Amino acid sequence: MSSAARVAAIQLIARKSPVAVEAGSVNIPEMFGVNVFGLEQIRERLPKAAYESLQRCMERGESLDVQLADLVANEMKLWAVERGATHFTHWFQPMTGATAEKHDSFVDVDFANGGVLMDFSGKALVKGEPDASSFPSGGLRATFEARGYTAWDPTSPAFIRETRSGATLCIPTAFCSWTGEALDEKTPLLRSAEALNKAALKILRVLGDERIGHVYPTLGCEQEYFLIDRDLQVLRPDLVATGRTLFGAKPPKGQELEDHYFGSIPRRVLSFMQDTEQELWKLGVPVKTRHNEVAPSQYELAPIFERTTVASDHNMLTMEVLKQVAQRHGFHCTLHEKPYAGINGSGKHNNWAMSTDTGENLLEPGSSPEQNMRFIVMMAAVLRAVDLYADILRASIGTAGNDHRLGANEAPPAILSVYLGEQLTEVMEGLISGTSGASRKGGTMQLGVTSMPTLPRDATDRNRTSPFAFTGNKFEFRAVGSSQSPSKPMTVLNTIVADSLEHIADEVAKRKDQGLESAVNDVIVEIFKTHQRVVFNGNGYSQEWHKEAAGRGLPNVPNAVDALANFGAEKNVKLFDRLGVLSPKESESRMNIQLEAYSKAIAIEGQSALSIARTMLLPAAQKTQRDVADSLSATKVHGLAIDRQSERLGDMTRRIEDFVHCIDELAEVFDKCENHDGSEFEQACSYRDEVIPAMNRLREQADHLETLTDDDYWPLPKYRELLFLH
Ligand code: ADP
Ligand code: MG
């Protein structure tokens, strides 16, 4: 029986109980950050003078001298070894979208005295040389040596990753080629934060602020994920290879009842969540919320926001920890954007704002006229950025997985509009027309003169269908895919807002003679007039919006391939270059890597679909066909009427024929795409236009066969089992 493994897994699940975590005595303040070695720990352990010179190096971005590096490395090692670490690794984010590490032990031979030493030099701390040739470089290294190096980023704390059998010291690093090009996601993110800081300070000075000395972007990622019982997941080669189900008929019960959202958390799942949180707290990740999401077996976790670069590291760690802890609890955690057809997918809402060293949030509407002027300037900068550079924002979230989600009537559309809410929109319109908004009494609306209406902070007032929404004191970029590194979209957002802030500063400076308030007012009104088309407060899922957006001239790029190609447009390449975030070469390499990643993702899906269809599903359907044929022959001998049964056999046989036809068709187009000799873009286009439709046709036949085939023969765990058993 092909379904024996399936049945055995289900019986196992029925007997599973929650895996115990050390509970009862959880002391969060004591636990928080125990596995982190950051600046605070360095300061505690280093002589004062040494710490001060380290700080100076960091402020000026200078490299450390050997003695100081040795000092820091030694303290770090002592700390790590005390906590059971045997190995260290540079921990970096190559352009694969994941993190990478190569472990070395602290062990060194003690030639003088015999035996071994635990050694960790400043040189090993500051710079590592992983063999970079196997990481994607998008052609960056083709003309150079295939080597790169990782360099310690002292602004991100080192940390220890524990497993049951040991611990490893992880040192966050940037990853560059020997010629200085960034081969990772971290470096451009750091550069974009710096670009934003510069631009924000420039406009703040123009507005007369001399207090604020530093501005940094902040990020809080709401992370969605699905859990599947591991005993079932391993029986699905598609889930194992691609993270999503390539086949599966609609279950009798899906998410129609909406009984899962915010429902009580199943016990095994809760235990998993508690374990995950404890592990993350130890790593200094400020995890705050947990709850059930809309789809069955879908959940969400969110931390408190932090500096973008730290939050991004922490999100990468969170994704790793989720997957590892899930295994301990007999689950598989899938971060894929669309594990199941017909069921909501997963996203990662990137909440973004700008903080200052004076403890302010520049996106916080204030109470004084000056604060309001600043707030409106920031608002206008974001609107202009999203409208002018919707194409790069769209590209930053363009992946094969996210294509299933965007615009699928459950996730934001691929049209990048901004939700401002009623009051703010009124303020914008009031400024444009130079009159007060309808809800406000009297007076002419002018920046820096009139006060702002109070803005609602109530979650009920929020529009869930917008890809980019203002939510009281931050923007929420909701179109980001759940499995993505937040670095890319955040790098883009920081950069395009920096560009707008510079633009505003320059324009206001040009109009200096007319007085600050009037100058700012004119510049802002001009921006609002030009870019108000990007504001949309209505239902983003509706067909009317698609039509209206087209009328407004807003781009709607429904697939990743076209979105990624736009990334390379001249205006975009120039923007990144001008703001010092990506050189033209680095921009090009990133586009190529993402296109290649797209093709690879679809190729793996095509290959998996073919193999499952040929070796698992077709034989199962044929066995049922033979059983039925045998049964009918045996019955016919007795002269009994079997017309309807014969009809069904005929129907099934036709479907199997169609299925085989679809298999052959997919095999054919797949071969063609695999051996494509065009550009990265052309190859990705063929996968999109030929392999995906062939896979969809194959799936349609397979899902129908699933409903006709003897359950005893069906080898793949079904949707009703994957989604509802744990
Ligand atoms: P929601 O109602 O969408 O759940 P929350 O206020 O709870 O909104 O915030 C969701 C996420 O936004 C959290 O990760 C939170 O820390 C983050 N967030 C709040 N304020 C900021 C900010 N100023 N900058 C960046 N992220 C923020
Ligand atoms: Mg939210």
Side-chain angles (χ1 to χ4, degrees):
M1 225 172 28
S2 314
S3 65
R6 227 177 91 210
V7 173
I10 293 168
Q11 285 168 344
L12 255 179
I13 293 168
R15 288 194 294 272
K16 286 184 187 174
S17 49
V19 176
V21 231
E22 298 160 50
S25 59
V26 177
N27 180 335
I28 303 180
E30 221 165 74
M31 173 183 269
F32 194 80
V34 291
N35 284 342
V36 178
F37 191 79
L39 283 179
E40 229 173 279
Q41 287 74 14
I42 296 180
R43 190 177 50 215
E44 269 169 29
R45 288 172 169 256
L46 236 51
K48 194 155 177 264
Y51 178 74
E52 280 167 1
S53 66
L54 174 68
Q55 253 190 332
R56 276 196 301 276
C57 288
M58 279 164 48
E59 272 158 20
R60 297 182 199 148
E62 290 164 6
S63 50
L64 304 181
D65 74 61
V66 183
Q67 275 171 333
L68 183 55
D70 277 339
L71 215 57
V72 177
N74 193 50
E75 289 305 325
M76 208 183 259
K77 176 197 72 187
L78 291 175
W79 172 84
V81 171
E82 261 167 38
R83 277 160 186 76
T86 53
H87 289 69
F88 69 92
T89 177
H90 281 196
W91 185 80
F92 56 103
Q93 301 180 23
M95 295 183 276
T96 53
T99 54
E101 41 195 82
K102 177 192 164 220
H103 297 199
D104 278 295
S105 79
F106 291 119
V107 171
D108 204 1
V109 177
D110 186 351
F111 286 110
N113 307 306
V116 292
L117 287 171
M118 292 298 262
D119 184 48
F120 184 46
S121 68
K123 221 174 112 211
L125 163 69
V126 170
K127 201 174 261 193
E129 289 181 40
D131 175 10
S133 57
S134 313
F135 292 111
S137 73
L140 260 186
R141 273 191 318 262
T143 52
F144 309 109
E145 277 185 280
R147 282 207 309 175
Y149 66 90
T150 51
W152 182 39
D153 161 22
T155 55
S156 299
F159 55 90
I160 286 180
R161 289 284 283 125
E162 286 173 310
T163 60
R164 289 273 143 96
S165 10
T168 307
L169 170 68
C170 301
I171 302 155
T173 49
F175 181 40
C176 298
S177 76
W178 277 103
T179 45
E181 273 110 0
L183 295 173
D184 66 351
E185 306 282 11
K186 183 76 176 282
T187 309
L189 181 61
L190 287 164
R191 292 177 188 159
S192 73
E194 188 41 37
L196 185 69
N197 173 45
K198 264 204 221 145
L201 289 180
K202 185 168 167 184
I203 182 68
L204 287 171
R205 296 293 177 262
V206 169
L207 296 179
D209 183 299
E210 297 293 337
R211 283 174 315 123
I212 296 173
H214 190 77
V215 174
Y216 57 91
T218 51
L219 167 66
C221 290
E222 299 164 62
Q223 175 73 50
E224 293 180 333
Y225 60 92
F226 277 88
L227 289 179
I228 310 169
D229 191 277
R230 204 166 147 68
D231 284 311
L232 289 173
Q233 182 255 346
V234 294
L235 298 177
R236 298 266 332 203
D238 48 359
L239 278 174
V240 172
T242 72
R244 76 178 184 102
T245 54
L246 300 170
F247 302 103
K250 195 175 171 317
K253 177 186 167 186
Q255 65 186 49
E256 299 85 355
L257 299 178
E258 301 196 330
D259 51 355
H260 187 68
Y261 191 48
F262 280 10
S264 75
I265 301 172
R267 282 174 58 229
R268 271 183 70 206
V269 175
L270 186 57
S271 182
F272 151 79
M273 288 176 168
Q274 288 161 334
D275 209 355
T276 304
E277 286 162 350
Q278 290 179 27
E279 189 118 329
L280 288 171
W281 286 330
K282 286 192 207 165
L283 288 164
V285 183
V287 192
K288 178 84 174 161
T289 59
R290 61 180 182 216
H291 62 83
N292 287 4
E293 257 304 325
V294 175
S297 289
Q298 191 189 27
Y299 305 93
E300 182 186 299
L301 157 159
I304 295 170
F305 71 94
E306 300 173 277
R307 212 175 259 266
T308 308
T309 39
V310 176
S312 168
D313 275 1
H314 280 169
N315 180 254
M316 299 304 285
L317 261 181
T318 299
M319 293 195 285
E320 280 178 39
V321 168
L322 279 170
K323 284 191 226 162
Q324 283 172 9
V325 175
Q327 286 203 16
R328 213 147 66 208
H329 290 255
F331 289 120
H332 171 75
C333 172
T334 181
L335 297 167
H336 194 283
E337 283 74 15
K338 192 78 175 179
Y340 304 101
I343 304 257
N344 273 19
S346 298
K348 170 158 23 216
H349 295 178
N350 283 15
N351 293 271
W352 176 92
M354 291 173 275
S355 281
T356 69
D357 58 350
T358 52
E360 293 163 88
N361 174 355
L362 296 180
L363 290 178
E364 183 85 49
S367 45
S368 69
E370 299 78 46
Q371 282 169 333
N372 285 334
M373 178 151 81
R374 187 177 84 185
F375 170 71
I376 294 289
V377 163
M378 298 298 154
M379 204 76 214
V382 175
L383 279 194
R384 177 182 178 273
V386 176
D387 189 34
L388 264 187
Y389 295 109
D391 54 347
I392 341 181
L393 261 188
R394 175 67 185 88
S396 75
I397 51 163
T399 63
N402 217 11
D403 271 5
H404 295 285
R405 196 181 146 251
L406 295 183
N409 260 1
E410 35 123 331
I415 308 162
L416 283 171
S417 61
V418 180
Y419 169 84
L420 279 190
E422 219 177 289
Q423 275 94 334
L424 265 188
T425 307
E426 234 172 59
V427 170
M428 176 181 78
E429 286 166 353
L431 283 168
I432 291 176
S433 62
T435 58
S436 64
S439 68
R440 298 157 29 76
K441 288 187 209 85
T444 313
M445 179 110 193
Q446 235 221 327
L447 272 179
V449 183
T450 5
S451 65
M452 295 268 299
T454 329
L455 299 175
R457 280 290 175 70
D458 186 358
T460 54
D461 188 52
R462 293 184 190 165
N463 179 323
R464 315 298 317 183
T465 67
S466 173
F468 201 95
F470 184 70
T471 49
N473 59 356
K474 62 187 189 288
F475 279 96
E476 188 170 339
F477 189 17
R478 302 206 183 103
V480 182
S482 49
S483 68
Q484 260 193 276
S485 156
S487 297
K488 205 171 267 137
M490 289 302 99
T491 298
V492 168
L493 190 54
N494 292 341
T495 307
I496 62 181
V497 173
D499 170 72
S500 283
L501 291 173
E502 277 199 348
H503 168 82
I504 297 173
D506 291 344
E507 290 300 308
V508 172
K510 274 188 214 160
R511 295 168 174 77
K512 228 178 25 229
D513 296 344
Q514 73 191 69
L516 181 67
E517 272 154 26
S518 153
V520 174
N521 195 77
D522 284 2
V523 173
I524 297 303
V525 166
E526 209 173 293
I527 289 182
F528 280 154
K529 275 187 191 156
T530 317
H531 301 291
Q532 62 175 328
R533 62 174 194 162
V534 80
V535 174
F536 178 65
N537 296 327
N539 178 8
Y541 296 171
S542 69
Q543 271 317 305
E544 294 83 69
W545 167 232
H546 282 72
K547 266 188 235 137
E548 192 187 326
R552 293 189 191 184
L554 298 181
N556 179 8
V557 186
N559 68 81
V561 181
D562 290 332
L564 291 172
N566 291 339
F567 190 76
E570 201 184 330
K571 78 170 190 3
N572 300 338
V573 173
K574 279 194 171 146
L575 167 81
F576 286 114
D577 195 28
R578 185 165 52 78
L579 290 171
V581 176
L582 292 170
S583 70
K585 247 196 232 152
E586 288 171 334
S587 283
E588 191 196 334
S589 80
R590 271 156 180 78
M591 183 177 74
N592 287 338
I593 287 170
Q594 277 188 274
L595 285 168
E596 200 184 311
Y598 178 93
S599 293
K600 279 184 184 157
I602 307 298
I604 295 169
E605 289 187 356
Q607 191 89 295
S608 303
L610 269 179
S611 131
I612 293 171
R614 280 177 180 147
T615 64
M616 296 175 82
L617 306 186
L618 179 60
Q622 284 169 327
K623 274 186 214 155
T624 298
Q625 181 191 35
R626 188 195 53 210
D627 282 359
V628 176
D630 286 352
S631 157
L632 294 193
S633 310
T635 313
K636 210 168 169 185
V637 175
H638 300 284
L640 298 169
I642 49 165
D643 302 353
R644 290 193 178 201
Q645 294 176 65
S646 297
E647 239 173 70
R648 302 203 87 145
L649 179 62
D651 180 40
M652 181 157 197
T653 304
R654 269 190 303 280
R655 290 217 169 254
I656 295 177
E657 277 290 301
D658 288 347
F659 185 54
V660 175
H661 176 74
C662 287
I663 291 177
D664 293 342
E665 192 189 49
L666 176 57
E668 199 180 303
V669 293
F670 183 76
D671 267 353
K672 212 173 91 191
C673 290
E674 210 181 20
N675 299 313
H676 204 283
D677 52 9
S679 65
E680 310 274 15
F681 173 69
E682 287 161 350
Q683 185 172 33
C685 285
S686 318
Y687 275 111
R688 178 194 64 195
D689 299 335
E690 300 191 51
V691 172
I692 291 180
M695 272 187 351
N696 290 343
R697 287 191 291 273
L698 178 68
R699 177 179 186 148
E700 201 185 317
Q701 296 301 332
D703 290 356
H704 205 98
L705 283 177
E706 183 185 321
T707 67
L708 300 174
T709 300
D710 189 339
D711 191 63
D712 276 351
Y713 291 140
W714 198 256
L716 295 178
K718 298 183 171 180
Y719 268 30
R720 62 168 194 247
E721 295 153 356
L722 295 169
L723 281 164
F724 294 98
L725 296 182
H726 47 56

